[in-house]
Amino acid sequence: MPSKIYECISKISESIMANKDYLTELDREIGDSDHGINMARGFQAVMEKISPDDSDIGVALKKAGMTLLSKVGGASGPLYGTAYMEAGKIMIGKTELLPEDMKAIFEAAISGIQKRGHAVRGEKTMLDAIIPASEAYSAKISEGSDMISAFEAACSSAREGVEYTKTIIATKGRASYLGERSIGHQDPGATSAALTLEAIRDYMKGK
Amino acid sequence: MKKLINSVDNIVDEMLDGMTAAFPQYVKRLEGFNVLVRAKGPSDKVALVSGGGSGHEPSHGGFVGRGMLDGAVAGEVFTSPTPDQIYEAVKAVNGGKGVLLIIKNYTGDVMNFEMAEDMASDDGITVSHVIVADDVAVENSTWTTGRRGIAGTVFVHKIAGAAAEAGLTLSEVKRVAEKVISNVRSMGMAVNACTVPAAGKPGFELEDDEIEIGIGIHGEPGTHREKISDVNNITDKLIDKILAEGIYSSGDEIALMINGMGGTPLMELFIANKHAHEVLDGKGIKIAKTYVGNYMTSLDMEGFSVTLLKLDDELKKFLNAPADTPAFVQF
Ligand SMILES: Nc1ncnc2c1ncn2[C@@H]1O[C@H](COP(=O)(O)OP(=O)(O)OP(=O)(O)O)[C@@H](O)[C@H]1O
Ligand SMILES: [Mg+2]
């Protein structure tokens, strides 16, 4: 039986692959037409690197992070790479994901992305999906929700965040060169972040 | 899409092998990496490494050689190279006097190069970097990631390269590179967008009578669109925007570069150059040296950019110094 973390990362990878052209098309409008291509190249390599026997969540996440760092390139490579590596660090030695672990993963991923990219919420980046998702998740958990419903809430906040990116000017990344012209377009990185969270949700729900 | 390629996945790999096959006297490829270094190996001087996404040929591999770069890292088409690749380049070219990274100002490039710098510093290699941001099309406000690095980068390679060859220390080479950066400005336009092979269609679409002003070098849209006019008029617009920076005035000496975007006939570049000379002469700006050609391209994009570099005695000396590389030979 493949490990849980292997199955979860496979699910993320499938979703990124399936949306490769969509993500690239979004990047064509406000970037340089490569986000889906970059992410798909990265996840293809991740699937070659991790093994169904990797049961240590931390080890698998760190492997995934290192691979993304060395295969994706662009802005999203260091950002997603760092996010997975930071998440991996706090999960070393664990084979089960508890609700508090997921909260810590969100926070570690966000601080990793911010350490590298110096962006805050509202700059039309992946953070506009991830930060609201993290907040919604934590709020649900502290209300006593179970992990799946908390993650459902995280996913709908991430989608709202993606929609919100259409309304704002990009001030980080390539899209910032467009200034006002970036309004009306959805951020590719926020979209890939929402897809990632939805894939994790689908994995949790056994879909 | 019509392209002379074999497979989209092997473009960078096959191109690099083709370059080493063409210029074995200048460059060799680091086994297993998308990195070109000088054929002769590291020497006893400050080493320069640049790089970025592929698709800008001859940048940057074409400038590896005596008097310019020591190593060039090639990312996927229009995508910054990854830290591990840059780190290998730094290790390979380090001759003990330190390594200067020349980075074009893009979020991805800056992050990946800085991570490589951290990795190499952890190994005890002295590494420093400069960031080129010469594109005046992008307003330099706190609201953006700053200006993009485009064709002006070639002047940084040339002048910092000559400074390193002359035996200057890392901090001195860096100072010279930064002097170039603060005195160089560029602006570009496109008649037609380029097609990223993996994407299969042009980055933007223009009507038959439309041009895009203020484009970068990645097929990204520019600042605005307008109806096409004659090349003198277009050249005026690019130069006016550069002169509005207020750093070039009558009596100054400059170097001029008319850079083709990859799909523009040299004939058209020379016509633009003729007018650029007339305009700058008319303003009393003295052109000490002119470069016309494809230096920093954008795949098959049709269009050009104008770059002005204000010279002082030091910059002039290093600009005029010899260089011997696949794409830049000067004696
Ligand atoms: N500073 C940043 N912080 C967080 N996310 C960012 C930042 N800069 C860019 N991004 C995200 O990265 C996405 C673009 O990733 P992509 O893979 O297309 O890289 P890129 O910007 O094209 O890189 P390159 O400039 O090297 O080609 C954006 O949609 C945005 O969500
Ligand atoms: Mg992109």
Side-chain angles (χ1 to χ4, degrees), chain A residues 56-78:
Chain A
D56 187 316
I57 299 176
V59 170
L61 288 175
K62 278 183 98 171
K63 271 194 198 174
M66 289 291 283
T67 311
L68 293 174
L69 209 56
S70 66
K71 288 289 180 235
V72 177
S76 45

Side-chain angles (χ1 to χ4, degrees), chain B residues 104-127:
Chain B
K104 299 196 293 307
N105 191 29
Y106 298 97
T107 307
D109 288 60
V110 173
M111 283 194 287
N112 285 290
F113 275 84
E114 283 182 350
M115 287 180 92
E117 181 173 339
D118 290 348
M119 288 160 76
S121 304
D122 288 347
D123 280 0
I125 304 176
T126 316
V127 189

Side-chain angles (χ1 to χ4, degrees), chain B residues 9-55:
Chain B
D9 293 334
N10 296 338
I11 290 176
V12 176
D13 189 52
E14 293 181 15
M15 169 188 76
L16 291 174
D17 283 346
M19 279 182 77
T20 31
F23 304 110
Q25 70 277 36
Y26 291 112
V27 293
K28 64 181 179 204
R29 182 168 175 183
L30 283 189
E31 188 76 34
F33 293 93
N34 292 342
V35 173
L36 295 183
V37 295
R38 291 197 197 180
K40 290 193 182 71
S43 50
D44 185 30
K45 64 170 202 61
V46 170
L48 303 187
V49 171
S50 191
S54 293

Side-chain angles (χ1 to χ4, degrees), chain A residues 128-144:
Chain A
D128 293 318
I130 307 174
I131 294 177
S134 168
E135 287 175 1
Y137 179 86
S138 298
K140 283 282 178 192
I141 293 293
S142 49
E143 280 167 20

Side-chain angles (χ1 to χ4, degrees), chain A residues 33-196:
Chain A
S33 322
D34 64 358
H35 187 59
I37 299 164
N38 293 346
M39 294 295 289
R41 182 175 54 245
F43 273 94
Q44 188 178 345
V46 166
M47 293 319 294
E48 286 160 14
K49 270 277 152 50
I50 61 168
S51 116
D53 302 329
D54 285 331
S55 55
D56 187 316
I57 299 176
V59 170
L61 288 175
K62 278 183 98 171
K63 271 194 198 174
M66 289 291 283
T67 311
L68 293 174
L69 209 56
S70 66
K71 288 289 180 235
V72 177
S76 45
L79 294 171
Y80 275 116
T82 305
Y84 278 81
M85 296 217 308
E86 295 294 317
K89 274 188 204 160
I90 55 173
M91 291 305 290
I92 288 289
K94 298 188 182 173
T95 52
E96 290 294 330
L97 181 75
L98 301 175
E100 312 78 72
D101 291 330
M102 193 60 227
K103 180 170 182 290
I105 286 182
F106 266 123
E107 284 158 9
I110 291 167
S111 85
I113 293 168
Q114 292 190 311
K115 186 180 76 190
R116 278 287 151 216
H118 312 286
V120 296
R121 194 170 175 167
E123 298 201 83
K124 200 175 181 114
T125 71
M126 53 179 74
L127 290 171
D128 293 318
I130 307 174
I131 294 177
S134 168
E135 287 175 1
Y137 179 86
S138 298
K140 283 282 178 192
I141 293 293
S142 49
E143 280 167 20
S145 284
D146 63 275
M147 203 156 135
I148 291 185
S149 9
F151 219 83
E152 289 279 16
C155 288
S156 31
S157 295
R159 274 294 156 190
E160 280 166 27
V162 170
E163 287 304 310
Y164 168 65
T165 64
K166 291 184 189 167
T167 67
I168 55 178
I169 295 186
T171 52
K172 281 283 179 321
R174 227 174 243 294
S176 68
Y177 304 132
L178 290 177
E180 303 249 332
R181 283 219 264 173
S182 67
I183 292 181
H185 298 285
Q186 177 177 331
D187 181 61
T191 311
S192 60
L195 288 167
T196 301

